[in-house]
Amino acid sequence: MTRILVVDDEAQILRALDINLRAHGYQVHLASTGEEGLASAAAAAPDLVLLDLGLPGIDGVDVIHGLRGWSSVPIIVLSAREGDASKVAALDAGADDYVTKPFSISELLARVRASLRRVQPAHEEPTVATEHFTIDFVAHRVFVDGEPVHLTPTEWAIVEHLARHAGRLVTQRQLLQSVWGPQYEHETN
């Protein structure tokens, strides 16, 4: 059964989505804060996340960044924020789609189905552990022989990208764009 995590601080939205998604055959997990959402995503390994941006505690964009640190799960943002800046920020952070509240449940269900068709998410682990080192994608930490290693944000981004693409060729261009953004086509001196 397809698992959907809904992260929203409005009780009525959580209830409505819970009822409608379950009625359409989805297994639903609910969270009302960004922190709960990240914890639930790590524990339940959802197939899709429905995420509000205006959350108490960690903002929705920060939740997207947190999820993208270790997962490629499809994320559909549900937000009352209509401005282009909010949409662009969420999509640039790693969201796959953006739906403005209020929304029709039939349109949302169509977007859920479309997102699930595009991606067959591998159940990714929030950590990579080897004999000599451990990478914790949720906490953004690296341990070598049990000792924490201090990494700058750029160093972390490089380690994260390479670890998430283990066993595959990563080109210089891919690494530059992943770490420094899509505007980096080439290394500049």
Side-chain angles (χ1 to χ4, degrees), residues 56-140:
I58 299 176
D59 183 71
V61 172
D62 291 329
V63 172
I64 295 169
H65 284 295
L67 287 170
R68 287 296 174 247
W70 61 273
S71 176
S72 60
V73 64
I75 301 169
I76 299 176
V77 170
L78 307 175
S79 182
R81 298 177 187 174
E82 295 182 6
D84 284 348
S86 293
K87 292 177 184 178
V88 169
L91 293 167
D92 280 347
D96 298 285
D97 201 352
Y98 194 105
V99 177
T100 304
K101 294 178 183 177
F103 52 84
S104 83
I105 205 69
S106 58
E107 178 188 356
L108 178 63
L109 289 169
R111 288 175 184 264
V112 165
R113 289 189 303 271
S115 291
L116 291 170
R117 272 194 310 270
R118 282 193 299 270
V119 183
Q120 292 299 325
H123 294 290
E124 299 161 327
E125 295 297 322
T127 61
V128 171
T130 69
E131 181 181 341
H132 299 289
F133 67 89
T134 302
I135 302 171
D136 183 339
F137 292 112
V138 176
H140 292 196

Side-chain angles (χ1 to χ4, degrees), residues 3-30:
R3 293 176 307 279
I4 297 180
L5 170 61
V6 181
V7 185
D8 199 305
D9 63 329
E10 295 180 53
Q12 295 136 330
I13 296 283
L14 284 176
R15 181 169 159 66
L17 289 174
D18 186 33
I19 291 168
N20 280 286
L21 291 168
R22 286 182 193 280
H24 285 87
Y26 297 106
Q27 181 181 352
V28 181
H29 299 273
L30 303 174

